[in-house]
Amino acid sequence: MSHSNSFQPVLASLEPAMFETLFESLPDGVLVVNGAGELVRLNGNAEKMFGYTRNELVGKSIETLLPERFRRGHVGKREAYSRQPHMRPMGVGLDLRARRKDGMEFPVDIMLSPVRIEDQVLVLAVVRDITYRKQAEEKLRRNEELFRSLIEGVKDYAIFMLDSQGRVMSWSPGAEVIHGYRAEEVVGQHFSVFFTPEDVRLGKPEEILRAASTRGRMESEGWRIRKDGARFWANAIVTALRDEKGQILGFSKVTRDLTDRRRAEEALLLEITNALVSNLDIRNLLGAIAASIRQMVPYDYGSLALLDPAGKLLQLQWLDRPEGAKVERAEWTLPFRDSVTEKALSRREPVVLHRMETGEFEPDTIMRWKSIGMNSGCWLPLVSHGRRLGALIVGSEREGAFSERDVTILTEVANQVAIAVDNAVAFRQIVELQERLEEEKRYLAEELRTEYNFEEIIGETPALKRVLKQVETVAPTDSTVLILGETGTGKELIARAIHQLSARRDRPFIKLNCSAIPGGLLESELFGHEKGAFTGAISQKMGRLELAHSGTFFLDEVGDLPLELQPKLLRALQEREFERVGGTRTIPVDVRLVAATNQDLQGLVNRREFRSDLYYRLKVFPITIPPLRERSEDIPLLAHYFAQKHAKQMKKSIERIPPQALHALVQYPWHGNVRELENLIERAVILTRGSELNVPLAELQSAVPASPAPVRDGRWVRNPGSEPGAPQPEGSPTLEAAEREHILRALRECRGVIGGASGAAAKLGLKRTTLNFRMRKLGISRSDL
């Protein structure tokens, strides 16, 4: 069915009034033309469009509305259309022009439709003025040509388009220059082909597209890959393109090659790094940091905020500030909680405040920054080896002073600053430790030691020297040692000396006192127990023997070990294995046993109170420590040592011990041995107010004879009656006198040799220079030897 036939029932059904309303309300110009090409009717919009009234056009040829140059040709086309009338829609690609009454031409688009009314065929023409559309199309065309010429003329920028998935859609000559690909080689490929393999593994291309989709625009810098595999430093801006509904159509991408700039920055950063790491003094480091920032980014305020060990406060030191800035002092103390530094450290990324507004931060601190004239700032976290140090703070008097590029550069500087600060702090700690160790070394070098240098084992008597010689002999072996001696003679000191001189010195020294633990718990303490082995065993416990594995196990007061435990200990020593209480698993153990007792083990064995097999297993190498009453010559030396030791602990200065006090100390029987002597001296130090030791003689009076004990060759003699004619002391030797005699004895034994491996300095455990200094101080010369 023809289009004209379809119109007839519609037109016929329309009421005349309705037709007139529709005809006049159409937004375009409507013309009705008869078969002779004469205008029959036109609507109001046609009048406005062409500038004629209806009366002026009705009955006139349709060619009246055409430019004169088209009229002749149009007659033939009109007649051809009349012979074969048909529907012709708008937008068929014809370039049609119309003419107004005033002679002005304008572009039009026309729809033609034949209409049969009664026995006559008319043509309905709908005319649309497309002047504005043509102008817009022309402007767009000119812009496109301009844009194309711009893109093709720019060789320093790679400008191209990506689809919504990141595939290349267009390619510019600049892109070919920078990336090295021709258009036919790269169009259709994903733009990840330009990224380094490590960035592709990390998902960098997808991250950039996501950021551009979210923000609308994403700028990034990094190393990119050319077609030939060479790397270049690129600055890239990716912009999202959306349709009218906001859906992503694709992306535009502009890339610049900034390799030369990057190389220059790297050279400068290397120079900065060298300057920073070479300054280990924190005060010099502050100036180096300020100079480093100044080379990279302009700024007004610079400071270093370091977190205190407790993690609660920031100690801020200024690097730079403008002249006249209202800064009351060179160092600030700021709260760490809710500070910008806390946020920067928690995120491990810079925080930029383009305006100094409180927001989520501690308001007093923000206002404090603002009060000195700082209106924008960048807080850069300082982290080294995973340890939070604080922040590098850079500020400006201008708002919005720091760009993304500034922040990127400052971040790289901050990374180097963090390493330098960490090194400087570590260096300062090392210096402080060295100073402390030197001080301790000087202190220890000045202490009196025996010729065997057994720490607190003080004495010069032959009996004690024999014991120490035995220790030196047995210590390097793994043999079991049984230390015998009265309470307070120093059995544990001897045990520790054996351990320290053995090959196990770097392994644990574990002790267990058999008399200090109830018998019911002793087995558990010795061997350990499994969970549920007995009431109260709520968890597994490792015993002392197991703890001592590969080290030394000191079993003190072994004579108090219950008989029922003795065979278990014997088996553990012989088989080198045991089971925990309540356990079935055999645990191997490798220990060196040192036992001690103040009892007569042989008597216990005879009375069947101690197993003979264990006794003989313990008595591989017995060492008997003499009681203090059998080495009374050591009492003055011990008294001076303990006086000096406790005086230093109590921060007192004690120069001498009265002669009558020393006499009483030598004559006293000391049933508690060295421990009793030390306790007495400690009480005496507490009671002393001046430089002379105030010994509580009332405690010793019953044991002190009427006459003072004499001295021979610098040593106190126990029985003055056995040495008739011996010289009597006129006074008590002071601490200096005791030290002088100690050094003289060492010099005589070394025949006056001071340095070298066999010299007196080595014998005394001192440096040669220290010994010379002490000799000068004490007035010792060659003539004294």
Side-chain angles (χ1 to χ4, degrees), residues 168-173 175-176 180-189:
V168 179
M169 296 173 60
S170 66
W171 200 243
S172 69
E176 182 174 337
Y181 292 93
R182 295 192 306 275
E184 58 269 22
E185 294 175 319
V186 76
V187 170
Q189 290 199 54

Side-chain angles (χ1 to χ4, degrees), residues 5-206:
N5 290 337
S6 66
F7 254 94
Q8 290 178 16
V10 175
L11 292 176
S13 65
L14 290 176
E15 294 291 337
M18 186 180 295
F19 175 80
E20 288 296 329
T21 301
L22 178 62
F23 186 78
E24 291 296 333
S25 64
L26 288 174
D28 297 315
V30 181
L31 307 174
V32 180
V33 183
N34 62 20
E38 296 172 342
L39 288 163
V40 176
R41 289 199 63 179
L42 65 156
N43 66 358
N45 280 330
E47 288 181 301
K48 294 177 184 178
M49 186 181 297
F50 290 100
Y52 292 94
T53 65
R54 300 185 191 194
N55 292 334
E56 288 177 319
L57 287 178
V58 171
K60 297 292 179 64
S61 170
I62 186 64
E63 280 78 25
T64 304
L65 302 178
L66 300 179
E68 290 185 3
R69 64 184 181 279
F70 295 134
R71 290 176 181 175
R72 184 177 296 179
H74 186 265
V75 173
K77 292 178 181 179
R78 175 170 52 77
E79 291 175 351
Y81 182 84
S82 296
R83 289 192 294 271
Q84 292 183 341
H86 59 280
M87 172 68 178
R88 193 187 76 182
M90 288 185 181
V92 294
L94 299 176
D95 186 14
L96 304 176
R97 310 286 293 182
R99 181 178 179 276
R100 304 183 202 278
K101 180 180 179 180
D102 59 8
M104 182 177 293
E105 296 182 9
F106 62 98
V108 294
D109 207 349
I110 301 176
M111 181 197 78
L112 299 179
S113 178
V115 181
R116 181 177 296 277
I117 299 178
E118 298 178 353
D119 58 351
Q120 184 180 10
V121 176
L122 303 176
V123 176
L124 180 68
V126 179
V127 182
R128 182 172 296 165
D129 184 348
I130 58 172
T131 301
Y132 294 118
R133 193 185 79 188
K134 285 290 185 180
Q135 290 174 346
E137 289 176 351
E138 180 61 21
K139 185 177 181 180
L140 180 60
R141 184 188 62 79
R142 288 197 303 269
N143 288 342
E144 287 178 348
E145 289 179 356
L146 180 62
F147 182 68
R148 187 177 297 107
S149 63
L150 178 64
I151 291 177
E152 292 178 354
V154 175
K155 306 297 183 182
D156 296 332
Y157 291 82
I159 305 173
F160 52 95
M161 306 294 291
L162 306 174
D163 65 13
S164 60
Q165 302 302 314
R167 292 182 292 265
V168 179
M169 296 173 60
S170 66
W171 200 243
S172 69
E176 182 174 337
V177 171
I178 291 176
H179 289 284
Y181 292 93
R182 295 192 306 275
E184 58 269 22
E185 294 175 319
V186 76
V187 170
Q189 290 199 54
H190 194 273
F191 84 122
S192 59
V193 70
F194 310 132
F195 287 75
T196 63
E198 52 267 34
D199 279 349
V200 173
R201 285 194 300 271
L202 293 172
K204 189 74 173 180
E206 293 76 12

Side-chain angles (χ1 to χ4, degrees), residues 25 81 152 174 214 238 272 290 391 594 754 764:
S25 64
Y81 182 84
E152 292 178 354
T214 303
V238 178
I272 289 172
V594 177
I754 296 175
L764 293 170

Side-chain angles (χ1 to χ4, degrees), residues 755-774:
S758 59
K763 190 176 188 66
L764 293 170
L766 302 174
K767 286 185 178 180
R768 180 179 56 80
T769 54
T770 303
L771 180 56
N772 282 329
F773 171 77
R774 300 302 300 167

